[in-house]
Amino acid sequence: MPLKLSLKPGETFVVNGAVVRNGDRRGVLLLETQARVLREKDILKPSEAATPAGRAYFAVMQMYLLGEVDGPLYSQTADALAGLIAQQPDLREDVLAISADVVAGDLYRALTRCRKLMPQAVGEAL
């Protein structure tokens, strides 16, 4: 089943690491094959990753966008998740679930779980 993206005029999104911008009209894009897609509203810039939850989200987002499940990004993500637990021990169960998703290679699910933590984590929001 294809993934259908309804796009606003000028909306930016990322597909398999390529940044794509919609034209000046609303548009619909159908992705017929598996792809790593992230909409503009879900992309966190490095300068916005200033809190433990932001750093964790950013690290998982990088892994997801680049399709990397090991190496330096994995270490960066593990450090960011450990920092989040250290700063906010009450989020321990949620962070452990994110960590399990990362280890299993289910990066979109890990990213979704991270996004849910953002409003809880020291009043930050995307």
Side-chain angles (χ1 to χ4, degrees):
M1 177 141 179
L3 173 65
K4 180 179 179 180
L5 293 174
S6 298
L7 303 166
K8 299 175 188 173
E11 184 175 3
T12 301
F13 59 101
V14 177
V15 179
N16 290 345
V19 178
V20 182
R21 183 177 303 274
N22 189 31
D24 58 352
R25 298 184 191 164
R26 291 190 69 79
V28 175
L29 183 70
L30 295 173
L31 296 173
E32 296 288 342
T33 60
Q34 192 76 14
R36 295 179 313 277
V37 178
L38 205 54
R39 297 181 85 108
E40 181 175 15
K41 67 180 182 164
D42 297 323
I43 297 171
L44 189 66
K45 296 178 181 113
S47 61
E48 298 168 333
T51 64
R55 286 188 288 279
Y57 183 89
F58 185 77
V60 174
M61 181 188 75
Q62 285 184 297
M63 286 184 71
Y64 172 71
L65 287 175
L66 296 174
E68 293 186 19
V69 293
D70 57 10
L73 289 180
Y74 181 86
S75 297
Q76 178 184 345
T77 300
D79 290 344
L81 292 172
L84 180 54
I85 288 177
Q87 290 289 318
Q88 295 189 278
D90 57 311
L91 298 178
R92 178 179 164 74
E93 293 302 316
D94 295 317
V95 174
L96 290 176
I98 293 165
S99 181
D101 289 338
V102 169
V103 168
D106 194 349
L107 299 174
Y108 189 79
R109 186 171 201 187
L111 192 61
T112 301
R113 289 182 197 264
C114 274
R115 188 174 319 137
K116 289 178 183 177
L117 293 184
M118 296 295 282
Q120 296 176 28
V122 197
E124 64 185 328
L126 273 180

